[in-house]
Amino acid sequence: MSTRVHELAKELGIPSKDLVTRLTKLRVPVKGPMSVVDEEIVAKIRQALAGSGRVRPPAKPAAPAKTVKPSAPAKPAAAVKMAPAAAAKKPAAPAAPAAKPAAKPAPAPLPVEPKSAPRPTLPAPTAPVAPKAGTKPKSAAPPAAAPAIPAPVSAPAVTEPAPAATVTAELKLLKLNFPIVVKDLASKLELSPTDLIKRLMKRGVFASITQSLDQDVATQVAQECGFQLASQPTLEERLVAELAPDPAKLVPRAPVVTFMGHVDHGKTSLLDAIRQSKLVEREAGGITQHIGAYEVVLEKGRVTFLDTPGHEAFTALRARGANVTDAVVLVVAADDGVMPQTVEAMDHAKAAGVPILVAMNKVDKAGANVQRLQQQLTEHGLLSEEWGGKVIMVPVSAKTGQGIDRLLEMLLLEAELLELRADPTKPAQGTVIDARLSKDRGALATVLVQQGTLRLGDLVVVGTLSGRVRAMSNDLGQRLKEAPPSTPVEILGLPGVAKSGDRFMVVADDKAARTLVEARQDQGAGRAIVPPKRITLDELHQRIVEGTLKELKLVLKADVQGSLEAITQSLGKLPAHEVKLNVIHVGVGDISESDVMLAAASDAVVIGFHVGMDPRVQVAAVTEGVDVRIFQIIYEVVTAITAAIEGLLEPKIEENFLGRAEIRRIFQISKVGMVAGCMVTKGSIRRDAVIRVIRGKAKLWEGKLSSLKRVKDDVREVQEGLECGIGPEGFTDLQLGDLIEAWELKKVARKLA
């Protein structure tokens, strides 16, 4: 049954124009008051107006309805008294009006008239509603109250929230790249930026139209609008997925082996003997100057060797995420035995979690003692197979060639146990081992192909560089057209010098290469500001509670060997039920950049005891995000780690450098004591600062100031370039040329994320 708009407007007691406007907003196709709407729309309009507070207006048509009801019976009564002829004519006339009133009063009785309730077409909307709110005992009142009371309850669910509920039930999937700007997100969600900002403010997020939102916040707001957000795979993620090896096409590959050990223990000489070439003669002074990668073809297979200038380069590659080594050959001279750098190389290899083979070199020399060397290695956790351990130790001589075949045989055997495989059918990907700038050839990069096959003419992306491979050669200088997995090659064609440890991949076209490079440049700008996230003592307890940390790795440095032993023993007594302590490296002396890189590669914390740290090392620690703690008392080390495990760490002391002054003259003033006449050379000196007296590289004293004067006046602060008088409190051992540094110490509360 359909009704015209003007009739429905009259019934509801609102102007026809207003009703047309409301219907248009509800997307009902009407053109004017004469348009026809079906019964379902009529029911929704009644409920919508009832929910918006227009329940009373239907009471107005109730009055006319009551006036019509007495007249309705009156007319039939008059008609009965008429003559039969007139009565015969009149029924035809009333029949037409009777049909009209059936259409008009039909809706009116819906909210008011109980007599119309029995009609099959009209009670349908009220029948399910009346039982919910039928609480009044009167017969006529309840039908009127029934549609009036429940309507506001159901109206919000039908009119405004109903569409939202419908959309929420069927969330539209929307894939975006994160973070996303407010303006762009509003466009995707079909909202105005102002509406989106209001929604964010309700959630306590105050963002401008150009501010970026992370995925969590964007997802919550999008769900309110009927959208389910998903992170769209980046171009790099899609390319990496395309380059993933096919399990059905994997074939055995050559092992990649790194030579490590103490300087001048014969690493390069041994490699030279293996390759039967004269690599040592190419190096200045017989010492390796840069990372080299060399391939050796044997009867039973190929082996790729990385000849590094030390464990620092090996660990630097690991710190950058380049795990290229399958095994490590630790070269130790049988006459010298285990040296400090041997221990460091050993610890770095252990931290990498790769198999270690020991080449006991120089066994042909008179002072060689293999038994003593094996004993020393046992003390550092490397037990020979001959003594019941798992470490292969081979006596070799780079000079005579003794034991080299045995060493190579053991390397190939280790490779078989590791089951090394790669897919040569895919486009190539791998790692940059070394890069340099040649005067005659330009930028050159030594790369190790780890998966796929690299071919001449391939378009390669390395870090933020891209270019085609114009030339490719091996370590012997031979030109190659293709390089299978585990092959080291030197390539020409990059526009700049790549970074060691950067990953390279082959892409299909120039457009993909440009897009990938631009994305990496944008990401690199963000990384330059935010250091990498490493483990710290501050968040140790939280990581333990979350179950994401089962082992705390430590790098220990102390002033003397006795202190190291005492600290190690004390830490060994700590209970390991919550987290296991793993000391991956110990050493005597100041904290070095190598220590920081090892901690960065292994996600470890550096603990120092009575040691110093060079400014360059401090910068490296901040850049790599490594937590470095220096203590002066042994029990403080144990207490700090115990407190970190239990989540009871005291606030961290943050040191801020304020300024430095140089002592130019020294005055002895009665009743005051010794005063240093100084020139502030950097920053400023403040009266409330912590003062340190530095002589050479040693810190002589730390304390407070008893006086700070400018000319004859006491001052609170003296700026750079001005002279001043500084009186350290309780310290008199001052000399000309000493430096006085001012520091501000702040307690920073731990923040457990």
Side-chain angles (χ1 to χ4, degrees):
M1 181 177 179
S2 58
T3 305
R4 294 192 182 276
V5 172
H6 73 90
E7 294 175 349
L8 181 59
K10 184 176 180 181
E11 170 199 337
L12 299 176
I14 61 174
S16 300
K17 186 177 180 181
D18 291 351
L19 183 58
V20 171
T21 304
R22 290 177 179 272
L23 290 171
T24 304
K25 288 182 179 179
L26 292 175
R27 298 183 181 179
V28 178
V30 295
K31 296 182 179 180
M34 296 302 295
S35 299
V36 177
V37 291
D38 57 24
E39 182 182 1
E40 182 179 357
I41 299 299
V42 171
K44 288 186 178 182
I45 289 297
R46 289 197 188 101
Q47 292 176 338
L49 291 176
S52 62
R54 288 189 171 273
V55 182
R56 294 179 182 176
K60 294 180 180 178
K66 290 180 180 179
T67 56
V68 174
K69 290 167 191 170
S71 62
K75 289 180 180 177
V80 173
K81 294 179 181 179
M82 285 185 174
K89 293 180 182 179
K90 286 288 179 184
K100 287 182 181 179
K104 289 181 182 180
L110 176 66
V112 180
E113 284 297 327
K115 294 182 180 180
S116 305
R119 297 195 179 188
T121 57
L122 299 178
T126 60
V129 178
K132 295 182 182 178
T135 56
K136 295 186 180 181
K138 293 182 180 180
S139 59
I149 295 175
V153 177
S154 59
V158 176
T159 55
E160 297 175 5
T166 306
V167 177
T168 306
E170 301 176 359
L171 293 176
K172 298 179 182 177
L173 182 62
L174 190 61
K175 293 186 177 182
L176 302 174
N177 290 324
F178 297 97
I180 185 170
V181 179
V182 171
K183 180 181 178 182
D184 296 339
L185 180 60
S187 175
K188 296 291 184 181
L189 298 180
E190 302 174 3
L191 295 174
S192 68
T194 305
D195 291 340
L196 180 56
I197 291 174
K198 289 180 180 178
R199 290 176 181 266
L200 290 171
M201 291 175 67
K202 290 180 180 178
R203 292 186 166 273
V205 179
F206 298 90
S208 64
I209 193 173
T210 58
Q211 191 169 340
S212 297
L213 301 175
D214 60 20
Q215 187 170 358
D216 292 338
V217 175
T219 300
Q220 294 173 4
V221 177
Q223 287 177 347
E224 294 180 358
C225 304
F227 291 90
Q228 180 64 46
L229 298 189
S231 181
Q232 189 172 7
T234 62
L235 174 61
E236 184 160 0
E237 291 172 342
R238 294 197 301 270
L239 291 175
V240 170
E242 292 173 3
L243 295 177
D246 185 353
K249 298 180 180 179
L250 294 177
V251 298
R253 67 169 177 85
V256 180
V257 181
T258 297
F259 274 48
M260 295 170 61
H262 189 75
V263 64
D264 200 31
H265 271 205
K267 298 187 300 294
T268 306
S269 298
L270 185 57
L271 182 60
D272 173 56
I274 293 173
R275 298 178 63 235
Q276 296 180 353
S277 62
K278 298 296 182 181
L279 288 179
V280 174
E281 296 178 359
R282 302 183 193 175
E283 302 293 350
I287 300 176
T288 306
Q289 300 298 314
H290 60 83
I291 296 176
Y294 315 103
E295 184 182 29
V296 176
V297 180
L298 306 172
E299 293 181 1
K300 296 183 179 180
R302 297 183 301 120
V303 180
T304 297
F305 293 98
L306 299 184
D307 181 25
T308 72
H311 51 271
E312 295 89 350
F314 171 81
T315 304
L317 289 175
R318 286 187 55 231
R320 298 186 185 105
N323 297 318
V324 298
T325 303
D326 300 314
V328 166
V329 172
L330 183 65
V331 181
V332 189
D335 56 341
D336 287 346
V338 175
M339 303 293 284
Q341 287 187 12
T342 308
V343 177
E344 290 187 5
M346 194 185 311
D347 291 340
H348 284 238
K350 288 179 181 177
V354 296
I356 300 175
L357 291 83
V358 179
M360 298 182 289
N361 197 18
K362 301 184 181 181
V363 294
D364 58 308
K365 297 187 70 172
N369 190 333
V370 174
Q371 295 294 326
R372 184 190 65 184
L373 177 56
Q374 288 180 321
Q375 179 62 40
Q376 292 176 343
L377 292 171
T378 302
E379 295 172 359
H380 290 88
L382 296 183
L383 185 60
S384 171
E385 280 187 333
E386 297 177 1
W387 292 8
K390 297 182 179 180
V391 180
I392 299 173
M393 297 186 183
V394 183
V396 298
S397 172
K399 187 176 182 180
T400 64
Q402 175 186 344
I404 290 180
D405 291 339
R406 166 80 173 162
L407 177 63
L408 296 176
E409 183 182 344
M410 291 297 102
L411 282 173
L412 292 175
L413 178 61
E414 191 69 37
E416 290 180 9
L417 296 176
L418 294 174
E419 297 183 351
L420 305 172
R421 296 181 177 276
D423 180 5
T425 64
K426 291 283 186 175
Q429 58 176 318
T431 303
V432 177
I433 302 301
D434 188 22
R436 59 193 177 91
L437 188 63
S438 173
K439 293 182 180 179
D440 54 344
R441 302 177 65 191
L444 298 173
T446 301
V447 301
L448 176 66
V449 181
Q450 294 176 282
Q451 288 287 347
T453 300
L454 182 63
R455 296 178 173 84
L456 209 60
D458 281 348
L459 182 58
V460 176
V461 175
V462 185
T464 56
L465 303 173
S466 67
R468 293 196 177 273
V469 180
R470 300 204 306 266
M472 184 166 51
S473 58
N474 61 13
D475 58 292
L476 299 177
Q478 300 170 340
R479 292 296 182 97
L480 302 177
K481 291 185 178 179
E482 62 180 28
S486 292
T487 303
V489 290
E490 189 175 65
I491 62 173
L492 172 67
L494 294 176
V497 179
K499 295 180 181 178
S500 297
D502 276 356
R503 298 279 302 173
F504 80 85
M505 66 172 65
V506 173
V507 296
D509 51 61
D510 292 329
K511 182 180 179 182
R514 284 195 306 269
T515 307
L516 182 56
V517 167
E518 290 173 0
R520 287 181 173 179
Q521 287 173 343
D522 294 340
Q523 293 174 357
R527 288 198 199 102
I529 300 172
V530 182
K533 186 64 176 174
R534 314 280 189 194
I535 184 65
T536 65
L537 291 183
D538 293 329
E539 63 173 18
L540 177 61
H541 179 70
Q542 184 69 16
R543 296 271 287 269
I544 294 172
V545 172
E546 293 173 353
T548 59
L549 184 70
K550 299 296 182 184
E551 182 181 60
L552 174 62
K553 298 178 181 178
L554 299 176
V555 175
L556 295 181
K557 296 299 290 287
D559 53 349
V560 293
Q561 188 66 34
S563 300
L564 276 179
E565 294 175 358
I567 294 173
T568 305
Q569 291 176 2
S570 299
L571 293 177
K573 296 177 182 178
L574 291 178
H577 60 277
E578 289 183 327
V579 63
K580 177 184 176 183
L581 293 181
N582 181 10
V583 181
I584 62 175
H585 176 63
V586 295
V588 176
D590 289 348
I591 297 172
S592 65
E593 194 167 354
S594 174
D595 299 324
V596 171
M597 296 308 295
L598 175 59
S602 308
D603 197 17
V605 175
V606 179
I607 301 294
F609 178 75
H610 271 296
V611 294
M613 187 164 51
D614 190 86
R616 291 180 304 172
V617 180
Q618 294 179 1
V619 173
V622 173
T623 303
E624 296 293 336
V626 174
D627 188 13
V628 179
R629 301 293 178 99
I630 299 178
F631 301 90
Q632 304 299 323
I633 304 175
I634 290 180
Y635 82 84
E636 288 182 348
V637 179
V638 181
T639 302
I641 294 178
T642 304
I645 294 174
E646 297 175 352
L648 302 174
L649 270 183
E650 292 294 326
K652 186 178 179 180
I653 303 298
E654 188 177 89
E655 296 183 348
N656 295 324
F657 177 77
L658 298 178
R660 181 182 297 113
E662 181 182 351
I663 298 179
R664 302 287 177 86
R665 296 184 65 182
I666 297 177
F667 304 95
Q668 186 68 38
I669 302 176
S670 59
K671 297 183 181 180
V672 175
M674 186 172 288
V675 176
C678 304
M679 171 66 74
V680 181
T681 58
K682 187 173 184 179
S684 65
I685 304 295
R686 284 194 345 213
R687 177 68 176 80
D688 59 347
V690 174
I691 299 299
R692 294 173 183 171
V693 178
I694 309 295
R695 184 173 299 162
K697 293 184 178 180
K699 182 178 72 173
L700 299 183
W701 176 83
E702 179 177 317
K704 297 181 179 180
L705 287 180
S706 61
S707 63
L708 178 64
K709 293 181 177 291
R710 170 78 179 128
V711 189
K712 294 183 180 181
D713 300 327
D714 289 327
V715 292
R716 292 185 178 181
E717 186 175 5
V718 180
Q719 297 292 336
E720 181 177 339
L722 300 178
E723 294 181 342
C724 63
I726 297 177
E729 187 177 285
F731 184 73
T732 58
D733 184 18
L734 298 175
Q735 295 181 9
L736 297 180
D738 286 352
L739 298 179
I740 296 180
E741 293 183 348
W743 292 78
E744 180 184 36
L745 304 184
K746 289 183 178 179
K747 288 186 177 182
V748 181
R750 280 188 312 120
K751 295 180 180 179
L752 296 179

